[in-house]
Amino acid sequence: MTTVDERLGADAAAMRRALELAELGPARGVNPRVGCVILSPAGDVLAEGWHRGAGTAHAEVDALSKLEPGAARGATAVVTLEPCNHTGRTGPCAVALVDAGVRRVVYAVADPGDHSSGGAARLRAAGVDVTAGVLAGEVEAMLDDWLFAARSRRPRVIVKWAATLDARTAATDGTSQWITGPAARADVHRRRAAADAIAVGTGTVFADDPSLTARDDGGHLLDEQPVPVVFGRRAVPADAAVHRHPHTPVLLTGEDLAADLEELQRRGIRSLFVEGGPTLATAFLATGLVDELLVYVAPALLGGPHLAVGDLGISTIADAHRFRFAAVERLGDDVLLVAHPTTHPGGN
């Protein structure tokens, strides 16, 4: 007879394999990466599956499809995410597991979706034994950006700027290339590539005509490219460099940043890398919609009017937006400060 410890060990081992399968799926898009392992009553692996992207079979259904009818009766399904409970392009996975005769379901993290959650309750109502939270920390880490976007109904917002010791982002004549050195610039491009989208305001488009691409040291495009997003009411010129980006630019007014972020989340954007300029960074900071600051500081002084951040509407020190340092990195002659807000002033 299987002991509790043995069962917990088998659940964890199967979940680790499900996590490996999940990582085979696409890291970007509306849907999460999910893996599933189906075990026989004796603990042997009957089938494995993972989700390959929007419109394809979910991990549970993918695994079940590899079995003969009736082969999953009495089995245990180990899934990284709570089986869904809604009908979209595919049917509810909770129902598919019940119909297949699965006796037990083990999952790591609850589904935070308004429409897709509730699978565990549906399984229990059908008499299926459900265990939650197995290797939850590891799965949470893997699904970090997707879970944040699903729970917050918006992408994670990372605001970046490069500045001198006196917080200037450009000289008096407007020149800003280059405040920081090559190591810092390479780090920026690596982080661009890791983000789903990169954003600037129309002021930056007119002033700098940025390409908003992620490039290597030789100027070649990296394999992963963020979707370019431009905030502002002015029309982007037809010959702007952003129109030559590998992805079609997303144009948003910026009049309601919260609503704009919800729209980006609906488009499958999980992380937004805000690059410029000071007007856009200030708008995100003032509304409390910043989840991480990346401040590249060069050992130089410029003086003048071009500050990294404009007026935040703060009149007294007690109302200061407070952050905590998450990391401090030396990049050549420059320093990167990574900071997270201790509170969101906008209540988000």
Side-chain angles (χ1 to χ4, degrees):
M1 182 176 178
T2 303
T3 66
V4 172
D5 287 345
E6 287 173 337
R7 190 172 78 168
L8 291 175
D11 289 348
M15 187 65 75
R16 283 201 175 82
R17 175 56 183 162
L19 186 56
E20 292 175 355
L21 294 167
E23 290 173 343
L24 297 175
R28 296 184 176 182
V30 176
N31 294 66
R33 292 185 288 177
V34 182
C36 175
V37 175
I38 298 178
L39 303 175
S40 72
D44 299 318
V45 175
L46 294 176
E48 299 179 337
W50 69 92
H51 184 51
R52 291 165 173 80
T56 66
H58 288 191
E60 301 93 319
V61 174
D62 182 47
L64 290 171
S65 71
K66 298 168 184 175
L67 296 174
E68 295 294 328
R73 192 159 302 281
T76 294
V78 180
V79 196
T80 52
L81 187 68
E82 176 188 8
C84 70
N85 188 39
H86 82 299
T87 300
R89 294 193 225 183
T90 59
C93 291
V95 172
L97 292 168
V98 171
D99 290 345
V102 169
R103 180 184 62 82
R104 184 167 173 262
V105 170
V106 178
Y107 70 88
V109 177
D111 189 325
D114 289 334
H115 305 294
S116 54
S117 61
R122 190 165 190 170
L123 288 164
R124 290 190 178 101
V128 178
D129 181 15
V130 178
T131 299
V134 175
L135 296 191
E138 294 179 36
V139 175
E140 287 257 1
M142 190 269 291
L143 290 176
D144 184 32
D145 279 349
W146 182 85
L147 284 170
F148 179 94
R151 289 165 177 166
S152 304
R153 306 297 185 265
R154 66 171 179 84
R156 186 191 306 276
V157 176
I158 304 106
V159 172
K160 165 263 174 184
W161 65 74
T164 56
L165 289 171
D166 54 347
R168 265 59 182 184
T169 58
T172 302
D173 66 357
T175 56
S176 61
Q177 295 182 343
W178 298 102
I179 287 177
T180 54
R185 297 198 296 274
D187 188 73
V188 169
H189 282 279
R190 179 181 65 80
R191 292 176 185 271
R192 283 184 181 185
D196 288 340
I198 180 173
V200 295
T202 50
T204 297
V205 171
F206 279 90
D208 300 334
D209 194 25
S211 63
L212 301 185
T213 53
R215 303 179 298 277
D216 63 19
D217 293 340
H220 303 103
L221 294 181
L222 298 175
D223 291 338
E224 296 292 337
Q225 291 294 324
V227 174
V229 179
V230 179
F231 289 92
R233 291 182 291 276
R234 287 187 286 175
V236 175
D239 61 348
V242 70
H243 287 303
R244 298 189 291 277
H245 194 284
H247 297 295
T248 302
V250 177
L251 307 179
L252 300 167
T253 67
E255 294 176 353
D256 185 339
L257 287 178
D260 288 342
L261 290 179
E262 288 179 8
E263 171 60 23
L264 291 176
Q265 193 263 341
R266 284 192 291 269
R267 291 171 178 248
I269 301 299
R270 307 174 187 177
S271 57
L272 180 67
F273 194 78
V274 178
E275 279 244 25
T279 300
L280 188 61
T282 301
F284 273 101
L285 287 163
T287 51
L289 291 169
V290 176
D291 304 294
E292 183 170 87
L293 283 179
L294 301 176
V295 181
Y296 294 84
V297 181
L301 297 171
L302 283 173
H306 296 291
L307 290 167
V309 179
D311 184 10
L312 292 173
I314 297 171
S315 58
T316 179
I317 193 67
D319 294 334
H321 295 191
R322 297 291 180 178
F323 288 76
R324 61 176 177 81
F325 287 121
V328 178
E329 299 179 28
R330 184 73 178 263
L331 297 168
D333 292 332
D334 307 311
V335 173
L336 168 61
L337 306 176
V338 182
H340 298 156
T342 55
T343 59
H344 279 293
N348 294 287

